[in-house]
Amino acid sequence: MKRTRKPGITRRSTLALMGAGAASLAAPWVARAQAKTIKIGMPTILSGRVAQLGTSSRNAVMLEVEKVNAAGGLAGRQIEMVIRDSKGQPQEAARIARELVNTDGCEMLLDGEASSGSFAVHEVARDLGVLCIHTCSEASSLTADPKQHIPNAFRCVRQGIHDSIVGAGYAAGIAKAKGLKKWATCSPDYAYGRDTTGEFVLYLKKFAPDVEIISESWPKLFQPDYTEVVTKILQAKPQALYSCLWGGDLTSYIDQANIYAMFTQMEVFAVNMADYTALTVVKNLPKGIHSGDRYIKTFPPTPENAAWGDAYKAKYNEYPTNWSWQNATAVMFLNEAVKKANSTDGKKVAEALTGLTIKCPFGADGTVTMRADDHTLVGYAIGWGTTIPQEPYVPDVKAGDWKTIFELEAEWKKSKGYT
């Protein structure tokens, strides 16, 4: 990997001193080298409509970094996070990522961007060869498409295809039970929205062949007014609606759709609803929206998950978000990979990350794995349920089956020409 050379002590000069018999001088030099902080750069969205998600990413990272530093750091090196605001603009995210490495001396990147920015940061990581963990982008192609694969990049995030397989299975059961044959979709017009909606519809029709999509809407990312979208859906008169709008876009959409009582006229499946950032912001949360789990402290229903959610709230006076657990897990992976590699060298850490399984509060069985063949996260808790307007918000989450996810994901990859 390309490394930014900094003035001062290098491994070569340290070895030269030792080789010259300067053992009495070498020990202090080595001690100072090991004590040097390791800078980790993080572009994320800290302003604009989805700033709450970027802030929650930063908060979760710092919560875990404090634990790592208190335990001695990464291979004895204290972590210094360098976090910058991309404003949700892909070009700015790429510019910041390059600057974090080349100017600020960051040796690793946590890419806290939405999919619109992550593909841009990915190209910077490809060019610089720096270790990069994507922590927010759910667009399946980021790691599923072999053309995107680089040995130094990983994705520590739930993935759209996983959500779609579980969500479509859940939705198909309800569609069959209630006779929901006419469906509409409304999702953001960029890679994540297009990909995830297509994958959901693919599996919905596989599990419930009678389903028909009678209306599609693709609002722009961060669109302020959804009046035209809402009225288009109402005029089509679907029996059910799927959406993967998220963050501030989702809450604005729901608030505006409430004016037209849209949620009383059809069954709604909004994969990103069950996240505290949406659940607590919507003015009048409709009862009975179906959603995938994002972050709620009651799923997975384990003491470790509940304790992590409470610790986050105690520190930041609000509950974490979906982006929070993903960013926290990335720091957990880095910590364990450095221990395994016994080094902070990016190439060695990347080799240690590949196929690594760690204990994690967010794992379906208490562990998660960085899958070796495509560098993406698997084994996390995933499920769907129905919202209520007060805590616990989604009282009964039906967990997805990873055996089924793996089988159908493999078929999907083959159909896309990825394998």
Side-chain angles (χ1 to χ4, degrees):
M1 293 180 180
K2 298 177 182 177
R3 301 286 299 277
T4 302
R5 291 294 184 190
K6 304 294 289 184
I9 294 303
T10 64
R11 183 173 180 272
R12 179 176 296 176
S13 60
T14 300
L15 292 174
L17 284 170
M18 295 175 68
S24 61
L25 294 176
W29 283 113
V30 172
R32 281 199 290 276
Q34 289 177 336
K36 178 188 173 187
T37 59
I38 179 169
K39 290 185 178 180
I40 301 177
M42 181 176 179
T44 191
I45 307 170
L46 299 174
S47 58
R49 182 182 277 182
V50 298
Q52 185 184 4
L53 286 171
T55 301
S56 74
S57 301
R58 178 184 63 192
N59 290 347
V61 164
M62 295 312 300
L63 184 67
E64 296 306 311
V65 164
E66 287 175 9
K67 295 177 187 175
V68 174
N69 282 343
L74 293 179
R77 302 173 66 187
Q78 294 285 291
I79 301 172
E80 179 184 342
M81 292 300 305
V82 185
I83 303 173
R84 299 275 170 76
D85 180 13
S86 69
K87 304 178 179 64
Q89 300 171 8
Q91 185 175 356
E92 182 69 358
R95 187 191 69 78
I96 289 173
R98 190 174 292 276
E99 185 175 279
L100 286 167
V101 177
N102 287 340
T103 303
D104 295 294
C106 292
E107 298 177 39
M108 303 174 182
L109 290 175
L110 293 181
D111 167 35
E113 293 294 319
S115 297
S116 53
S118 278
F119 284 89
V121 174
H122 193 72
E123 292 309 311
V124 174
R126 187 195 301 274
D127 180 45
L128 298 182
V130 66
L131 177 66
C132 175
I133 303 180
H134 302 291
T135 56
C136 300
S137 170
E138 301 178 28
S140 300
S141 57
L142 182 63
T143 50
D145 185 347
K147 292 193 294 294
Q148 299 290 345
H149 183 81
I150 50 178
N152 52 300
F154 298 80
R155 186 234 297 270
C156 185
V157 191
R158 65 172 72 249
Q159 196 179 148
I161 185 65
H162 300 161
D163 263 333
S164 295
I165 290 170
V166 176
Y170 169 89
I174 295 172
K176 290 177 181 177
K178 295 189 176 183
L180 308 177
K181 296 183 179 179
K182 297 184 181 299
W183 284 62
T185 65
C186 176
S187 294
D189 188 14
Y190 74 116
Y192 166 71
R194 292 275 181 175
D195 287 359
T196 302
T197 299
E199 292 154 10
F200 177 86
V201 170
L202 172 69
Y203 287 102
L204 179 62
K205 289 184 175 180
K206 177 181 179 69
F207 298 135
D210 291 341
V211 162
E212 176 187 7
I213 305 299
I214 62 170
S215 174
E216 295 180 350
S217 299
W218 303 101
K220 297 184 182 303
L221 196 61
F222 311 145
Q223 179 171 310
D225 188 342
Y226 293 94
T227 301
E228 183 179 354
V229 173
V230 171
T231 53
K232 176 184 175 183
I233 293 169
L234 289 172
Q235 289 165 5
K237 300 184 184 303
Q239 296 168 297
L241 168 71
Y242 169 82
S243 176
C244 66
L245 288 168
W246 54 279
D249 285 5
L250 176 61
T251 57
S252 294
Y253 173 71
I254 291 176
D255 281 337
Q256 293 178 36
N258 268 334
I259 297 172
Y260 299 90
M262 192 180 82
F263 299 102
T264 65
Q265 301 180 48
M266 63 196 73
E267 208 86 19
V268 177
F269 298 77
V271 61
N272 294 314
M273 188 69 232
D275 198 358
Y276 290 115
T277 190
L279 293 166
T280 59
V281 170
V282 174
K283 294 175 183 176
N284 296 296
L285 180 66
K287 180 181 179 180
I289 292 181
H290 304 280
S291 178
D293 71 297
R294 311 307 287 172
Y295 180 79
I296 52 175
K297 71 172 192 174
T298 51
F299 185 80
T302 62
E304 292 81 7
N305 180 39
W308 191 86
D310 288 339
Y312 182 103
K313 186 178 182 184
K315 187 173 180 64
Y316 299 112
N317 197 34
E318 62 183 11
Y319 277 125
T321 68
N322 185 57
W323 284 18
S324 300
W325 79 261
Q326 296 170 167
N327 279 274
T329 303
V331 178
M332 296 175 191
F333 265 116
L334 270 182
N335 189 35
E336 294 302 320
V338 168
K339 288 179 183 176
K340 181 181 176 183
N342 193 27
S343 171
T344 55
D345 177 81
K347 185 175 181 180
K348 293 179 179 177
V349 176
E351 291 172 353
L353 275 170
T354 304
L356 182 64
T357 296
I358 65 170
K359 290 183 179 178
C360 180
F362 320 114
D365 65 354
T367 68
V368 291
T369 296
M370 187 60 70
R371 191 163 57 187
D373 61 355
D374 57 1
H375 288 192
T376 199
L377 182 72
V378 295
Y380 54 87
I382 184 169
W384 274 65
T386 306
T387 62
I388 58 175
Q390 65 279 329
E391 287 196 74
Y393 293 111
V394 189
D396 182 20
V397 179
K398 300 183 186 308
D401 174 23
W402 273 98
K403 182 174 182 292
T404 301
I405 294 172
F406 288 143
E407 289 175 355
L408 294 180
E409 182 190 23
E411 292 177 6
W412 171 79
K413 281 187 172 181
K414 188 174 182 179
S415 71
K416 299 285 285 185
Y418 290 162
T419 57

